Amino acid sequence: MTSEKITTPDGATLEVFTTGGEAGSKGNGVVVVPASMVTAADYTKFAQKLSAALGRPVHTFNRRGRGASSPQPRDYTLDVDIRDLAAVMEHTGSTDVFGHSFGGAVALHAARTLPVERLAVYDPAVSVNHSVKADWTAEYERATAAGDFDRGLAVLVKGVETGGAFSRMPLSMLTLANKLTAGTPMGKQMRELMQAGVREIKAVIAADMPAEPFLDLPLETLIVVGEKSPAYFGVACGQIHDVLSGSSYTILPGYGHDGANRAPDRLISELAAFFAG
């Protein structure tokens, strides 16, 4: 894997990682748009396996607020990540895109206007007809304003429901678990990204729309949902699939929301076949 920093049209810096090719490799690559609460490094296994299966470079990048990329602006909206995706696509010469969770929401909205030829998403956190709700954000903000970041993180984890068994723990137990894991690499990363994560969830809700505008998506669109993922992912994806006649909709058996990061062979094979055309 190689890395480089690119500059966006608005002067921001993005950290881009290339697997299966030299940094700045041009043409026929796949751009990966990461989820919230994670960094490009969390897709290393995924990128390695997909690149090997395709025989093509895979480009992951740290969205703003992560790694060596610029911070998120205070007036952040989904359009910031859409413009950044456009910059990465142009720099790498890639027209195939994979998005996971929040990255899937970015990819779905972006592909309506960007020159994306093939689009694949896994558990995209897109809001269609108010399928994504975040009534918990007020409680999160009260906790963090009081300096109780362990409780704030617990509210976030329970609210998005993507943490599997952890999401179903009582709030008090989850808060204690956060205290105990605060010094671990994962605990530190969660705390570093929690404010950006909540900002991104609000941006998804602000970009809510009916399913019909997604008719502008590429005909070649693959939608994958984890069998054990929260139900709201399937609600939005089902509505998009219903209006997008050329899309493919599949369920990854046995996996939850982190299925993309785990990179099981079944998912990699399906994505490789799709991106190979």
Side-chain angles (χ1 to χ4, degrees), residues 15-272:
E15 191 176 23
V16 181
F17 301 86
T18 296
T19 300
E22 296 299 323
S25 294
K26 300 295 183 179
N28 85 329
V30 177
V31 176
V32 176
V33 190
S36 293
M37 311 299 288
V38 295
T39 69
D42 294 297
Y43 294 87
T44 300
K45 180 179 179 181
F46 175 87
Q48 290 172 340
K49 293 182 69 172
L50 182 59
S51 176
L54 274 173
R56 293 162 52 189
V58 172
H59 309 282
T60 59
F61 68 102
N62 272 325
R63 294 190 293 101
R64 299 196 196 196
R66 295 150 179 83
S69 294
S70 295
Q72 283 184 340
R74 289 187 176 274
D75 58 349
Y76 172 82
T77 67
L78 209 62
D79 288 338
V80 172
D81 272 308
I82 291 173
R83 292 193 298 268
D84 287 351
L85 173 57
V88 175
M89 289 176 61
E90 181 177 2
H91 180 78
T92 61
S94 303
T95 56
D96 290 350
V97 174
F98 172 81
H100 174 213
S101 191
F102 176 79
V106 172
L108 284 168
H109 283 286
R112 296 172 53 230
T113 55
L114 299 186
V116 177
E117 291 187 8
R118 292 186 180 89
L119 169 66
V121 291
Y122 184 91
D123 277 2
V126 64
S127 187
V128 179
N129 292 317
H130 308 291
S131 59
V132 176
K133 304 184 187 302
D135 300 336
W136 49 267
T137 55
E139 185 177 1
Y140 164 86
E141 288 168 350
R142 284 195 297 270
T144 54
D148 192 348
F149 296 101
D150 295 313
R151 182 179 176 83
L153 182 56
V155 171
L156 169 60
V157 171
K158 284 190 70 67
V160 297
E161 304 176 37
T162 56
F166 283 101
S167 300
R168 297 187 290 273
M169 291 173 62
L171 188 62
S172 58
M173 291 181 62
L174 187 52
T175 300
L176 177 59
N178 288 335
K179 291 181 185 293
L180 296 175
T181 60
T184 66
M186 179 59 71
K188 291 178 181 178
Q189 178 170 295
M190 294 282 280
R191 279 161 180 73
E192 290 170 359
L193 297 177
M194 58 191 289
Q195 291 185 333
V198 172
R199 195 178 294 126
E200 290 163 359
I201 290 167
K202 290 181 176 180
V204 163
I205 293 172
D208 178 89
M209 64 173 60
E212 285 73 20
F214 289 103
L215 282 167
D216 294 331
L217 287 173
L219 182 63
E220 297 287 342
T221 297
L222 172 64
I223 301 170
V224 185
V225 173
E227 179 186 26
K228 297 182 179 180
S229 298
Y232 64 86
F233 292 111
V235 171
C237 290
Q239 294 183 70
I240 294 174
H241 177 58
D242 285 345
V243 302
L244 193 63
S245 59
S247 65
S248 299
Y249 183 106
T250 64
I251 295 175
L252 183 66
Y255 285 87
H257 190 61
D258 62 351
N261 305 105
R262 292 178 178 271
D265 291 342
R266 180 163 179 168
L267 176 61
I268 296 300
S269 296
E270 185 165 2
L271 290 173

